[in-house]
Amino acid sequence: MRESDGSLTSLRQYNRRQVLKALRSRGTSSRAEIAKLTGLSTTTISSLVADLLSETVIVELPDRANSAGGSGRPARMLAFNPAAGGAVGVHMAHDHVRVGLTDLAGEVIARETIGLDVDHEPAQTLDFVAHTTLELIARASLDRSAIVGLGVAVSAPVSVSTRAIDADRILPDWRGTDIATELGTRTGIRVEVGNDANLGAIAEHRLGVARHSDDFVYVMLSDGVGAGLVLGGRLYQGAIGGAGELGHVTVVSDGFICRCGNRGCLETVAGAPAIVAAMGQVRGAGTTLPAVIESAARGDHGARRVLADAGRAVGRALLPVCTVLDPSLVVIGGECAASAALLDAAREELARGMTPLRSSAIPVLGGALGDEAEMLGALTLARQRMTLR
Ligand SMILES: [Zn+2]
C-alpha cells in the first residue's frame, strides 16, 4: 500500500480495489473465495460487496446447481459488470479532436473524430469535447455519474506540479486555460490532463508493441512531434514535465522557422504539415499525408525522398537520446508512422550513428495502436483511479 493511503477512507478504497482486482482476474468468485484471495476479513468483504452490488459495478449471478458436495446454502457467485459504467479518453491534436468511450473493462464502445482548429479555438474545442462526451455517454445509455473519469491528451507539455499546460510559445491561444476545470465544469466528470506523446507511450506500453519493454522511447509523428520516455517501466516526465519534447530539437541549423520561434526544429521536417507542404510544391495544395504515404509505397521518388528525409531527421534527433538512455526499443507512432520509407530511414540513421559498443541495432518499430494511441493513453489516465470513487 502507498504511504499516502493512511486514512480509513483510503484503506477502504484500497481494499475495494483489491476486491475488484480479484473478481476481474477470476471472472466469477464467491465472497469466501474473494476473502481467501485478498486476505481480507469476511465482514469487510460483505460490506464492500454490498456497496459494489448497489452500484451495479458487480452483479450476483443467478443460482447455479453449485451446492453439490456441500451442505447448506450454495455460495452465491459474483462477477464484475463492465457495462455498469465507463471512462472517456480525448486526444486534442492540433487540427482534430478524437473522443473515445470505454466500458469499465476498458473496451472502446464508441468513438468520434472531428476536424477542428484546436490550436486557435480553445473555447470551441472545449465545447465540442464536452458536447461529444455527453452525447457518447447518452448514446451508450449510461448516466454521467457512472463515468469514472475523463482523460485528455494535449499537444503541449503538462506541468508535473500544477497539471496545467505549459505552452506559451507553442500554443499561445491556450495560455491560462485550465483544461481540467473547464471540462470538469462542462461535463460534471473528473478530468485528468496529460501530454499526448507521454500518453501514447503509456498506451503502447500497456496495449501495443512495447508490451514487453520497460525501457523504450515512443516518438509521436503527427501534426505535432513529441516523445514519451518509459524508463524502468515508468513514464519519465522530467523535473517540470517537459521530458521528451523532441519536436523542438534543432535538426537543420538554417531550416524553416518553427511555431516555437526557433529555426529548424524536428517538427519543421518530420511533422505531417512539413511533409505535406514539401510535396505540395509539386502536387498542389490539395495533397494530404495519406496520399503522400501511398505515393511513396507505390515508388514515387519525390514522396519517398520527403518521407525518408523526415525519417533520417527523426533518427538523428534520437541519436543522443538513445545514446544516453540505452533503450531496448524505439516505437514510432502517429499518422506519419504509416510510412515504411520513413521508418526504414529512421532505423538506418539511428543504427549508423549509434556507438559501436552496442552489438546490435536498437529495434525501431511502428506503433501497434496507430493514431488512436494518444486517445487510448488518455483513457488509461481516466481509468487510473477507477476503483477509488
Ligand atoms: Zn520548434
Side-chain angles (χ1 to χ4, degrees):
M1 201 191 309
R2 294 195 317 272
E3 242 176 75
S4 57
D5 291 342
S7 70
L8 277 179
T9 310
S10 58
L11 177 63
R12 188 171 174 81
Q13 287 166 343
Y14 176 81
N15 290 341
R16 176 186 162 111
R17 199 159 60 217
Q18 297 312 304
V19 170
L20 279 174
K21 204 168 140 192
L23 261 172
R24 291 186 65 181
S25 68
R26 288 284 298 257
T28 63
S29 292
S30 67
R31 288 169 177 78
E33 284 166 343
I34 297 170
K36 207 169 154 191
L37 278 168
T38 59
L40 296 169
S41 73
T42 45
T43 318
T44 304
I45 297 286
S46 294
S47 162
L48 289 169
V49 162
D51 278 1
L52 290 165
L53 281 171
S54 74
E55 294 166 27
T56 71
V57 173
I58 64 173
V59 287
E60 211 156 31
L61 298 177
D63 265 347
R64 292 181 306 176
N66 56 357
S67 56
S71 57
R73 245 164 12 114
R76 288 285 199 137
M77 298 304 277
L78 303 162
F80 179 61
N81 176 27
V88 179
V90 176
H91 182 200
M92 301 196 321
H94 293 285
D95 66 347
H96 68 274
V97 170
R98 197 182 287 269
V99 184
L101 171 70
T102 64
D103 62 17
L104 288 179
E107 194 73 34
V108 178
I109 52 175
R111 41 167 62 81
E112 186 87 54
T113 304
I114 193 160
L116 206 64
D117 185 3
V118 173
D119 289 2
H120 303 112
E121 300 286 354
Q124 196 190 336
T125 301
L126 292 165
D127 285 344
F128 170 78
V129 169
H131 175 79
T132 307
T133 297
L134 296 176
E135 201 176 76
L136 289 184
I137 294 167
R139 235 189 280 159
S141 303
L142 287 169
D143 190 273
R144 77 172 79 173
S145 65
I147 302 300
V148 296
L150 168 58
V152 185
V154 296
S155 296
V158 175
S159 162
V160 170
S161 54
T162 64
R163 313 302 302 158
I165 67 167
D166 190 2
D168 278 9
R169 277 172 71 177
I170 55 174
L171 281 180
D173 291 349
W174 285 82
R175 187 178 296 142
T177 308
D178 180 344
I179 295 175
T181 303
E182 293 282 345
L183 282 177
T185 307
R186 282 169 169 83
T187 60
I189 302 170
R190 185 179 56 80
V191 179
E192 299 280 348
V193 179
N195 170 263
D196 55 0
N198 284 350
L199 293 172
I202 287 174
E204 288 290 351
H205 189 219
R206 287 176 60 104
L207 312 163
V209 75
R211 273 197 314 282
H212 305 296
S213 173
D214 277 343
D215 297 279
F216 71 96
V217 177
Y218 172 80
V219 183
M220 183 192 76
L221 291 184
S222 292
D223 280 5
V225 173
L229 311 172
V230 171
L231 305 175
R234 300 173 72 92
L235 181 74
Y236 178 76
Q237 300 186 77
I240 57 166
E245 276 302 307
L246 200 67
H248 301 285
V249 165
T250 305
V251 291
V252 186
S253 56
D254 56 350
F256 292 115
I257 294 292
C258 179
R259 65 195 168 97
C260 74
N262 288 338
R263 194 184 266 284
C265 295
L266 180 61
E267 205 170 279
T268 66
V269 181
I275 292 169
V276 171
M279 279 310 285
Q281 308 272 353
V282 284
R283 293 279 179 81
T287 306
T288 63
L289 182 71
V292 177
I293 291 174
E294 202 194 313
S295 296
R298 280 193 275 105
D300 180 282
H301 291 292
R304 283 186 69 82
R305 176 63 195 261
V306 165
L307 288 162
D309 284 349
R312 275 190 285 273
V314 171
R316 268 199 307 286
L318 280 170
L319 267 173
V321 177
C322 291
T323 303
V324 171
L325 299 179
D326 185 27
S328 63
L329 176 67
V330 168
V331 180
I332 300 187
E335 298 159 271
C336 307
S339 165
L342 186 152
L343 292 179
D344 288 346
R347 192 176 293 125
E348 280 161 24
E349 188 73 13
L350 185 61
R352 203 153 55 89
M354 282 303 285
T355 160
L357 288 174
R358 216 183 155 101
S359 59
S360 58
I362 299 172
V364 177
L365 303 177
L369 306 173
D371 49 13
E372 277 207 334
E374 285 70 29
M375 181 196 86
L376 294 170
L379 276 162
T380 303
L381 200 59
R383 289 162 45 77
Q384 69 185 354
R385 283 155 38 106
M386 185 172 102
T387 56
L388 294 179
R389 77 197 165 88

